[in-house]
Amino acid sequence: MAQYSSPNHGVESQPAQKAPNRSGRAPGLAETYNHFFYYRIARTPEDIAAAHRLRYEVYCEETGFLPKEEHPDGLERDEHDTHAVQSVLFYRPLNLPAGTVRVVRPIADAKGCALPARLAAPELDNLPERILPRGGTGEISRFSIHAGFRKRQNDGLYAAVHDPRAGGGDPRRILPHMTLGLMTSILEISLETDLTHLCAIIDPALLRMLRMLGLHFEAVGPLVEFHGPRQPVFAPIKQLVDGVERDFPEVHAVITANGRLQVHGHHAAA
């Protein structure tokens, strides 16, 4: 069974801003992330509302994926929120919400385990139990970054990214720290709720970004229509974390909160 070392206690559980680096050494990826961002699992009414408000701004106002008139209070919600856990990523210097994501927990005896991805993608839902266990697979959903943090002309919904293995440029500028922060919160939620696998119906642009960072999800079947063309994917959590540790140790340091989040046990192989 997956385990984790300690629950998230908000800001106090993540490193605070450090004094400016005067050694001449370029800050590492984790150091830069911790200087600018932190996340909280949304447990308070204030943080839950912040997640729903940001979802409304991205999915209703910016992209038009969801109709505004169905959310007159400016808070985007759906029926899956009743069995989901959300997180909110904050921009530390101004303490502003910058992104949000949720992990939808499975209802094992429901159709498609009550996961939107399994309901929309039969090829995903038909995977055998040893590959994608019904009771142990959660879904990454409503992965959102506020438009104010996507300033460059070529930024999409998830900001631009370059392959960190290609060299050239300052990695602090080209690596998507906010995406990694949200992935860290996904890992913490997954461990806290005893999930062993993750699935999603994912924007191909986000899938490419995650793969470039060493986070390898397995594609299943063709693209499906779900707020635009989306690729059904899944990954055993331990395999996901072990792969990024092998390929990109700096990315691994961020998504495991410098080793605080540890995945143990055996997981089914893809």
Side-chain angles (χ1 to χ4, degrees), residues 19-213:
N21 185 338
R22 304 187 188 282
S23 66
R25 175 184 59 83
L29 180 61
E31 185 178 351
T32 303
Y33 164 76
N34 288 323
H35 183 81
F36 288 106
F37 298 103
Y38 69 92
Y39 71 86
R40 285 199 298 261
I41 308 302
R43 308 186 196 279
T44 67
E46 294 77 15
D47 284 349
I48 293 170
H52 290 300
R53 187 174 302 109
L54 200 151
R55 283 165 47 176
Y56 177 84
E57 291 171 354
V58 172
Y59 283 88
C60 299
E61 291 191 330
E62 181 184 358
T63 65
F65 288 156
L66 299 171
K68 291 182 182 181
E69 57 271 18
E70 293 185 6
H71 308 280
D73 59 357
L75 304 175
E76 190 274 307
R77 310 179 185 88
D78 68 12
E79 68 274 19
H80 301 292
D81 287 313
T82 61
H83 56 109
V85 180
Q86 299 183 98
S87 70
V88 182
L89 184 73
F90 291 87
Y91 179 60
R92 192 186 292 274
L94 298 177
N95 203 36
L96 288 176
T100 187
V101 71
R102 70 178 178 183
V103 176
V104 185
R105 295 176 294 177
I107 301 175
D109 58 352
K111 181 180 179 181
C113 301
L115 300 182
R118 297 186 78 142
L119 291 168
E123 291 86 355
L124 189 66
D125 193 42
N126 290 335
L127 289 172
E129 177 74 10
R130 66 181 179 83
I131 299 296
L132 202 65
R134 294 181 64 83
T137 301
E139 179 177 343
I140 301 171
S141 175
R142 293 299 195 266
F143 195 108
S144 310
I145 292 175
H146 193 281
F149 290 87
R150 293 182 268 112
K151 293 294 190 183
R152 291 178 296 188
Q153 185 177 3
N154 62 338
D155 283 357
L157 281 177
Y158 314 106
V161 64
H162 299 276
D163 189 338
R165 295 166 293 190
D170 184 347
R172 292 170 297 167
R173 294 177 61 84
I174 63 176
L175 286 172
H177 298 88
M178 289 189 294
T179 293
L180 293 180
L182 292 175
M183 287 302 301
T184 307
S185 72
I186 290 167
L187 178 58
E188 178 147 3
I189 292 168
S190 299
L191 298 178
E192 182 180 286
T193 54
D194 290 326
L195 298 176
T196 59
H197 292 64
L198 290 166
C199 69
I201 300 182
I202 200 166
D203 186 330
L206 179 56
L207 179 59
R208 288 192 297 271
M209 172 186 288
L210 294 174
R211 286 176 172 171
M212 294 171 83
L213 294 167

